[in-house]
């Protein structure tokens, strides 16, 4: 037996959520009607009306859902100068319930992976509060492209990690609904119909490399001579990190004027020269190949050693959005072949 | 043409004229063309050339990871080659130490990129070696080059501001625009200056406007219109429009197009008694 939901009923549900004042994010074509653009740009965005929601017809959005729990810019606390004193003003914690609809499994799984690092030695209350307030409705992928490699990193088009509800396309008009958490059950209560029909789980992309081979290469030494050659074309921007569902580095800066300001955290990326620049002027990762090596080691060795899961869901965004078509996939394919 | 390119590069490497060639290659026929760095004559067969060779490779002339390869040859399309002239004028490269391989080009992308529609440099003009033959640009190709910005400028200032606010609100400050730009060669970019902070590092609308406006001004009279920033932007922001606006101003006010005329002095770096601004005379 299964629970089913018609596509038009999802639209109706989203409409209800919006009418009830909930924040709802979902994939949207953000440049529709722009005369200057040649291709559709699909991004997860906060919806203002249900008509903006676009569930299918593309592989995956260009950005990720990490923004709903880990915004690119966040105030940690304010400060005010009061004569010779400095008064700290706590930032208000978020209170709005939020729903992500039509999330890709590679996005939702990333939040599950990130829970570990945001609750490691320090419990990040901003992240945790947003996470508690968020319900994620995932849509299993029926399409993939040459950049997708979820199946090579232990994920896949029906990955359950991080999802509260998983929708699997049954036919053009209906989805099988799998409520995976209490939050998901609550969200879908009364909306679905029971049926004897079940959806076939879609197949993912072919395997691009094996984790065993990759692990062997990384374990065989840090200073492998292959790094400069396989990463030379990297230009050192942050497009990979900022469109990665699992990259979570941030920088803390003070922004303000003579009377006060705020301490904020902004996304940061390990491919920037400045990321590791010391105040002395010394930079322990002075070469792009060292920064690329760090990125791969962090995702495929350091994070799994520490938290038990890869810091990658195989979404392919890093390569898809790379100005020189690099990202991690070509690097992983090359080094896995060299192990 | 591809054979000619590969033979040329093989010869340059075999003769020891250069230690590496910066060109385009791909792992398999379906892959996009990516920048490759060929150091051995036997590897020249990795080189490709077709209308999916987008990257402006001149950026690599300011990357130490590439400069460390030794004396270089570089493949350029007509549009990319303009960047070399600006870099030379700004004393960033020693042109005599670089072998420039010009690639005849009838445009890239399917459909063609916007820049290709009004391109008037199908054949590189100052390359040491030119490979292939390209069609002659339409006589009116140049006349169309500001069409998009002229159309945009017909909108009201309020409407244009609303457009930019909407577009720039998507900027995540990944700095892909800066990193792909051959003209962004500063050792330390103004946004990376943190003692004190000049430009907010926050990817808020205010911080994004500050960054993109600053970047546009730094490129005024220098941007060659290769549109790499637009192609690289993961937020799909049409930076081309900003650049066109500045290029139009440079041409209309100073009769100057960056990277076109080797005898013309860069407008930002030159002083003229004929300047029509009184304060400078």
């Amino acid at each position: 037996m299964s629970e089913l939901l018609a596509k038009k009923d999802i639209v109706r549900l989203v409409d209800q959520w919006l009418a009830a004042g909930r924040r709802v994010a979902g994939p949207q074509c953000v440049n529709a009607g722009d005369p200057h653009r040649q291709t559709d740009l699909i991004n997860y965005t906060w919806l203002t009306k249900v008509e903006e929601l676009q569930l299918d017809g593309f592989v995956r959005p260009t950005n990720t859902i990490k923004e709903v729990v880990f915004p690119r810019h966040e105030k940690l606390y304010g400060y005010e100068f009061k004569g010779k004193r400095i008064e700290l003003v706590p930032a208000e914690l978020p209170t709005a319930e939020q729903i992500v609809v039509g999330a890709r499994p590679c996005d939702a799984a990333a939040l599950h992976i990130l829970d570990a690092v945001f609750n490691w030695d320090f419990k990040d209350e901003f992240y945790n509060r947003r996470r508690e307030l968020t319900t994620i409705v995932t849509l299993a992928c029926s399409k993939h492209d040459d950049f997708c490699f979820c199946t090579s990193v232990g994920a896949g088009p029906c990955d359950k990690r991080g999802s509260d509800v998983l929708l699997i396309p049954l036919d053009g008009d209906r989805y099988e609904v799998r409520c995976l958490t209490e939050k998901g059950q609550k969200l879908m209560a009364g909306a679905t119909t029971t049926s004897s029909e079940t959806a076939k789980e879609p197949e993912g992309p072919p395997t691009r490399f094996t984790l065993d081979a990759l692990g062997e290469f990384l374990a065989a030494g840090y200073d492998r001579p292959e790094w400069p050659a396989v990463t030379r074309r990297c230009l050192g921007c942050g497009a990979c990190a900022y469109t990665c569902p699992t990259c979570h580095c941030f920088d803390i800066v003070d922004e303000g004027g003579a009377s006060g300001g705020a301490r904020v955290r902004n996304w940061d990326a390990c491919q920037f020269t400045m990321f590791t620049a010391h105040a002395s002027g010394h930079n322990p990762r002075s070469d792009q190949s060292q920064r690329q090596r760090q990125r791969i080691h962090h995702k495929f060795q350091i994070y799994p050693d520490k938290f038990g899961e890869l810091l990658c869901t195989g979404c392919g965004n890093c390569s898809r959005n790379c100005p020189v078509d690099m990202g991690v996939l070509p690097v992983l394919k090359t080094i896995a072949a060299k192990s | 043409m591809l054979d000619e390119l590969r033979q040329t590069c093989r010869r340059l490497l075999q003769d020891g004229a250069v230690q590496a060639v910066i060109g385009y290659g791909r792992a398999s026929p379906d892959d996009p063309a990516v920048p490759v760095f060929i150091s051995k004559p036997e590897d020249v067969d990795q080189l490709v050339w077709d209308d999916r060779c987008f990257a402006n490779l001149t950026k690599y002339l300011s990357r130490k990871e590439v400069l460390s390869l030794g004396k270089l040859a570089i493949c350029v399309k007509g549009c990319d080659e303009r960047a070399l002239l600006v870099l030379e004028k700004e004393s960033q490269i020693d042109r005599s130490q670089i072998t420039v391989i010009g690639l005849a080009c009838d445009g890239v992308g399917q459909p063609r990129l916007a820049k290709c529609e009004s391109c008037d440099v199908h054949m590189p003009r100052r390359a040491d070696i030119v490979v292939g033959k390209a069609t002659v640009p339409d006589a009116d190709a140049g006349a169309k080059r500001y069409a998009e910005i002229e159309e945009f400028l017909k909108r009201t200032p309020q409407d244009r501001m609303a457009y930019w606010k909407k577009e720039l609100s998507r900027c995540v400050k990944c700095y892909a625009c800066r990193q792909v730009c051959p003209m962004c060669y500063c050792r330390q970019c103004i946004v990376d200056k943190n003692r004190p902070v000049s430009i907010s590092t926050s990817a808020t609308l205010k911080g994004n406007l500050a960054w993109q406006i600053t970047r546009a001004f730094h490129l005024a009279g220098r941007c060659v219109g290769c549109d790499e920033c637009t192609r690289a932007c993961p937020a799909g922001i049409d930076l081309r429009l900003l650049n066109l606006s500045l290029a139009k101003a440079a041409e209309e006010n100073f009769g100057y197009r960056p990277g076109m005329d080797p005898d013309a002095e860069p407008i930002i770096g030159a002083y003229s008694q004929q300047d029509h601004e009184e304060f400078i005379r």
Side-chain angles (χ1 to χ4, degrees):
Chain A
M1 297 302 274
S2 68
E3 294 298 315
L4 302 185
L5 189 64
K7 201 169 174 180
K8 64 174 177 12
D9 288 329
I10 293 193
V11 172
R12 193 174 45 78
L13 277 176
V14 172
D15 207 21
Q16 283 172 8
W17 296 335
L18 286 169
R22 294 209 234 182
R23 277 158 67 81
V24 184
Q28 181 190 351
C29 179
V30 291
N31 61 352
D34 184 339
H36 304 290
R37 293 295 301 165
Q38 293 187 332
T39 51
D40 284 353
L41 177 73
I42 310 285
N43 268 1
Y44 292 110
T45 41
W46 295 111
L47 304 174
T48 57
K49 52 181 190 288
V50 70
E51 289 77 16
E52 292 165 347
L53 179 67
Q54 193 174 333
L55 286 171
D56 42 35
F58 57 93
V59 173
R60 58 153 293 125
T62 305
N63 65 348
T64 77
I65 67 167
K66 75 179 169 191
E67 279 199 61
V68 306
V69 291
F70 173 50
R72 53 182 119 141
H73 169 81
E74 181 158 53
K75 183 176 165 180
L76 301 175
Y77 57 82
Y79 57 84
E80 284 168 15
F81 298 117
K82 295 272 170 72
K84 286 188 173 172
R85 283 188 313 115
I86 298 173
E87 208 162 272
L88 300 186
V89 188
E92 279 176 35
L93 285 170
T95 54
E97 231 184 288
Q98 47 191 30
I99 301 164
V100 186
V101 61
R104 293 299 182 259
C106 43
D107 275 304
L111 300 193
H112 165 81
I113 295 167
L114 289 179
D115 288 343
V117 72
F118 279 105
N119 288 283
W120 171 37
D121 52 351
F122 177 79
K123 309 255 181 270
D124 191 299
E125 56 181 344
F126 293 95
Y127 175 91
N128 285 330
R129 179 64 70 91
R130 283 205 173 80
R131 194 78 170 86
E132 284 159 22
L133 290 165
T134 307
T135 309
I136 297 168
V137 181
T138 309
L139 175 60
C141 302
S142 39
K143 269 181 143 177
H144 53 81
D145 64 15
D146 290 345
F147 299 109
C148 292
F149 63 98
C150 52
T151 46
S152 307
V153 291
C158 291
D159 198 327
K160 294 184 181 65
R161 290 177 296 169
S163 293
D164 296 298
V165 179
L166 174 64
L167 305 175
I168 305 174
L170 180 72
D171 50 40
D173 302 315
R174 295 177 302 164
Y175 299 103
E176 183 185 331
V177 181
R178 295 187 189 167
C179 294
L180 305 170
T181 64
E182 260 177 47
K183 256 194 222 171
Q185 278 165 358
K186 207 173 137 204
L187 189 72
M188 287 291 152
T192 58
T193 51
T194 308
S195 163
S196 58
E197 288 179 272
T198 51
K200 186 173 173 287
E201 293 195 0
E203 271 181 39
T207 308
R208 319 277 187 200
F209 57 87
T210 71
L211 284 175
D212 286 348
L214 180 63
E216 270 175 45
F217 180 93
L218 297 178
Y222 194 58
D223 255 330
R224 295 283 297 250
E226 289 89 348
W227 287 112
V230 297
T231 62
R232 189 162 279 121
R233 71 177 186 266
C234 173
L235 288 168
C237 76
C240 49
Y242 290 177
T243 64
C244 169
T246 63
C247 276
H248 54 271
C249 285
F250 56 82
D251 184 28
I252 294 177
V253 289
D254 290 344
E255 290 195 330
S259 60
R263 180 156 288 189
V264 302
R265 69 168 162 203
N266 292 328
W267 285 359
D268 204 353
C270 57
Q271 297 311 298
F272 295 147
T273 315
M274 283 288 285
F275 188 76
T276 47
H278 292 185
S280 67
H282 173 66
N283 195 336
R285 291 182 212 139
S286 58
D287 192 276
Q288 200 64 42
S289 69
Q290 296 167 332
R291 299 191 272 272
Q292 277 290 333
R293 175 181 65 189
Q294 169 62 25
R295 187 171 155 79
I296 301 285
H297 270 277
H298 186 204
K299 288 188 172 297
F300 298 95
Q301 192 182 45
I302 300 166
Y303 199 92
D305 280 356
K306 207 169 189 92
F307 299 114
E309 289 190 86
L310 299 172
L311 191 62
C312 175
T313 61
C315 77
N317 254 7
C318 53
S319 297
R320 206 175 281 115
N321 294 313
C322 175
V324 289
D325 291 283
M326 201 172 109
V328 301
L329 183 57
V331 179
L332 296 176
K333 281 203 277 195
T334 309
I335 61 177
K338 284 186 176 173
S339 69
Chain B
M1 180 174 166
L2 185 56
D3 280 344
E4 193 186 342
L5 171 66
R6 289 173 176 172
Q7 274 168 27
T8 302
C9 294
R10 185 180 290 119
R11 200 183 61 241
L12 286 168
L13 289 164
Q14 267 167 354
D15 295 351
V18 301
Q19 270 92 53
V21 176
I22 311 173
Y24 303 96
R26 59 167 61 90
S28 79
D30 294 333
D31 285 356
V34 299
V36 291
F37 310 90
I38 307 290
S39 297
K40 295 181 196 146
E42 60 269 30
D43 290 341
V44 295
D45 290 340
Q46 289 177 26
L47 289 167
V48 298
W49 167 241
D50 55 35
D51 65 0
R52 287 184 293 154
C53 294
F54 295 105
N56 181 346
L57 303 174
T58 62
K59 174 68 196 194
Y60 288 105
L61 297 176
S62 61
R63 299 287 299 173
K64 69 183 176 69
E65 294 80 2
V66 174
L67 294 174
S68 64
L69 292 172
K71 209 171 166 189
L72 297 165
I74 184 167
C75 296
V76 292
K77 305 187 284 287
C79 50
D80 307 335
E81 188 202 40
R82 291 175 58 186
L84 287 178
L85 183 56
V86 179
L87 290 172
E88 188 185 354
K89 287 277 175 193
E90 295 182 359
S91 305
Q92 293 305 307
I93 55 169
D94 181 351
R95 180 66 178 74
S96 67
Q97 294 301 302
I98 301 163
T99 304
V100 178
I101 304 167
L103 302 168
C105 177
D106 283 332
V108 290
Q110 294 289 353
R112 290 284 182 254
L113 296 186
K115 67 170 175 179
C116 305
E117 296 296 333
S118 59
C119 173
D120 56 359
V121 283
H122 292 201
M123 290 294 280
R125 297 151 308 136
R126 301 179 64 244
D128 298 303
I129 304 157
V130 178
V131 178
K133 284 204 169 50
T135 55
V136 177
D138 293 340
D140 64 341
K144 290 188 292 192
R145 65 177 164 260
Y146 302 124
E148 286 158 273
I149 187 67
E150 279 159 4
E151 194 58 36
F152 185 70
L153 290 172
K154 286 180 189 161
R155 294 160 71 167
T156 64
Q158 291 81 1
D159 191 25
R160 280 182 272 148
M161 196 59 202
Y163 171 84
W164 284 117
K165 279 183 171 175
K166 177 172 171 274
E167 295 300 294
L168 295 180
S169 65
R170 290 199 305 271
C171 173
V172 286
K173 289 207 167 154
C174 69
Y175 301 123
C177 47
R178 174 185 75 184
Q179 295 306 108
V180 297
C181 178
M183 296 313 142
C184 280
Y185 52 70
C186 288
R187 291 266 174 91
Q188 195 180 25
C189 176
I190 190 161
V191 289
D192 289 338
K193 290 196 191 296
N194 51 13
R195 287 180 298 179
V197 172
S198 306
I199 307 271
S200 160
T201 59
S202 298
T204 54
L205 179 61
K206 188 177 153 204
N208 292 347
L209 276 166
W211 159 237
Q212 292 295 351
I213 290 171
T214 305
R215 182 170 180 274
F217 274 110
H218 283 187
L219 287 169
R222 303 175 60 239
C223 167
V224 297
C226 71
D227 284 356
E228 279 289 89
C229 49
T230 306
R231 188 181 69 81
C233 180
I237 300 166
D238 194 3
L239 296 167
R240 170 179 166 79
L241 269 185
L242 283 180
N243 298 335
L244 275 179
S245 168
L246 294 160
K248 184 170 178 279
E251 185 162 7
E252 284 176 359
N253 294 297
F254 300 94
Y256 180 78
R257 289 178 69 203
M260 291 302 282
D261 178 3
D263 297 323
E265 287 305 313
I267 51 172
I268 303 292
Y271 169 76
S272 164
Q273 286 280 353
Q274 276 71 52
D275 200 296
H276 50 234
E277 290 292 348
E278 266 183 36
F279 74 90
I280 206 167
R281 275 186 267 136

